[in-house]
Amino acid sequence: MPAAVRDPLVGALVDGRYEVVSRIAAGGMATVYLATDTRLGRSVALKVMHPHLATDAVFVERFAREARSAARLSHPGIVAVYDQGSDAGTVYLAMEHVPGSTLRELVAHRGALPVGEALDLVASLCDALASAHAADLVHRDVKPENILMGLDGRLRVADFGLARAASASTTAASVLIGTVSYLAPELLTSGRADARADVYAAGVVAFELLTGSLPFTGEVPAQVAFAHVAQDVPVPSSRQRHLPAEVDELVAWATARDAQVRPRDASELAEAVREVRAGLDPEVAVRAPDAPAVVSDGTTRTINRHEHVLALPIGEALEAEVQRTGPLPAITEPTARAPRRPLPRRRQRADDETVRRPAAATTVRRQNTPTNPAASLIAPASATTRAPRVPAAGDTSSGTGSVRTGGGRRRPRPGVLVALLAALVVAGAVVWALLAGPLQRVDVPNVVGSSEAEATATLETRDLGTTTSERYSDDSPVGEVVATEPEAGSGVRPGSEVELVLSRGPRTSAVPDLAGRTLEAARDALEDVGLSVGEVTEAFSEERSDGEIIEQSAPRGDRLRSGSTVDVTVSKGREPIDVPDVRGLSQQDAEQRITEAGLVVGEVTRERDDGTPRDAVIRSDPASGQRFRGDAVALTVSDGPPTVEVPDLVGQPVDQARSTLEGLGVGVQVENVLGGIFGTVRGQSVEAGTQVEPGSSVTLTVV
């Protein structure tokens, strides 16, 4: 049993430019990845062709030519093609990435749509196809899976050019040309197609949107293919009885088995769709459809939308079988076209200028010389077929497939019998090729939810091999099958390999360091790893500038599940602080107030001040206003009032000395010796020349 391996392209850099992020989907021809164009910085859908197709030089050259044709298209309803190239054998297309869903998902979710909404979608589809048809490009695989519904509500058609490029393969039996439920009859019988094949597919899409179901179902693709060749598409009102006759006629016209009866291209069909839409009764246009009618008899199942048919015409498909088993019984090609469908009523005018009626008679000539071994199985046709005329109202004499005999009894026309027999034989050949021949298929069983061992065992019972890849899943445990490629119900050849996509568990991402980044830069960094910014708060920061991230809820390096959020705190810059008023406070109290506010004490100077006590703050710088945390506040502290110089008073009369000191603001105390009989100062307590503060006291000794 092969070991589980992850898709080798995921994480790779294709052509030095496209970084592959994840796988979006896979099909019969290619795998589509979500990638980043590192040169232009945008997301793209990278479609990488399967390796076994990329080794065919003819196919690669044709693929490149068709890619260039598709890239020339410029229409809002077409997925844009940006680039095409090859890198070490990897052939790729870089296309517009359209987030949203497909029309298939819309129908699966809602079923039949109101007729007005359905016709609006078909008109948009036809507009996109018309742009391609005008550039001589045929899609050849129009189906709901290839019609994208963007988040903007706009319809876009994808995969232009790929189906045509596939026809360049050198092995006819391996060429994929379309999805069986939407293939025009001429693709099944001749392998040739023009714009009218896209018109037929658009008509089937319209039928599905209007009814919620496909026109034909079957147990195997062959039954569906046979129905498209041998039967008319039912009218939509057979499934939704409220639909008006104009809608029935529109779908019948688009899905006529005879390509020459259909609209010549999508632009003509778009015009008719809008005419029918404009003529709808408003109540009918918005009426909710009924539940889809049951069209199976209980013995068949709905064919899977992803089942494809292989290269046709039938002659080419039979050629390989002739070489393997020898000649087969001869068959005859059909020689008559299907009856012409009526045009929508709003398009029919008295002069019928826009109706392309068949010629009165057409001679069908066949080549008598076969072009390949299988062509010898087809007998030359010698009959001349007259194209059916459109009968007038009440005309019952023609178009019935019979003629009157002399007795009034009708007998079948030989040409009609030959045509019917030929159609049945060709359809039988299709059935043989699909059931027992080179186009045989086996359904892929549903193994989603199983372990790898269980899924492998189940597939082995269907004669199918396995390969494995991995992808992240939030809902499935590690090792469980989350998808298969091809999908369950798809028809594949016996012996084919089915890719089992195993769960790797939920995707986790390492949290980046956000500190110091701006909020916008943090969002980008988180989105790059599949995370996002959660709650945003703000706080002051002394270390981070305004707008920078201070903190994050998940530390750097922690692994979170993809899609998780990380809360962040954004800096508002430094916190502003009010400067306290400390004038008159003691130096110690002032310094404490400044520190508690978050500031620091700056330079302290001292000076004398008449009005400020010693050691009290005279002023601060700044004295008020706001500063940031850690800023300094300077203080000026008082040393008290200014001092005065004590004069020499010895020898002076006591009264004179007292008067001098009091004039300086100094107090006087007198100490008499021997009663102070002479009244003369003989000593002083403060020496002459000493500076003293006003209000201090000097003692005089008097004799």
Side-chain angles (χ1 to χ4, degrees), residues 117-150:
E117 182 179 353
L119 291 181
D120 288 340
L121 289 174
V122 173
S124 297
L125 168 61
C126 290
D127 288 342
L129 293 175
S131 176
H133 294 168
D136 196 27
L137 185 63
V138 182
H139 192 293
R140 300 171 89 177
D141 196 17
V142 176
K143 57 184 177 180
E145 288 84 351
N146 285 339
I147 303 170
L148 308 182
M149 302 295 294

Side-chain angles (χ1 to χ4, degrees), residues 333 362-368 380-385:
E333 289 183 326
T362 302
T363 301
V364 180
R365 302 186 182 273
R366 309 293 181 192
Q367 295 292 335
N368 293 325
S382 59
T384 298
T385 302

Side-chain angles (χ1 to χ4, degrees), residues 24 65 74 173 207 215 224 388 391 496 527 561 569 608 627 641 676:
I24 297 175
R65 184 168 63 252
S74 177
F207 181 95
V224 178
S496 300
E527 288 175 0
R561 178 174 293 190
T569 302
R608 294 190 175 276
R627 287 292 185 272

Side-chain angles (χ1 to χ4, degrees), residues 647 649-650 652-663 668 681 700:
L649 303 174
V650 175
Q652 293 184 11
V654 63
D655 291 337
Q656 181 182 347
R658 183 191 301 276
S659 176
T660 300
L661 289 173
E662 289 178 348
V668 178
V681 176
L700 300 177

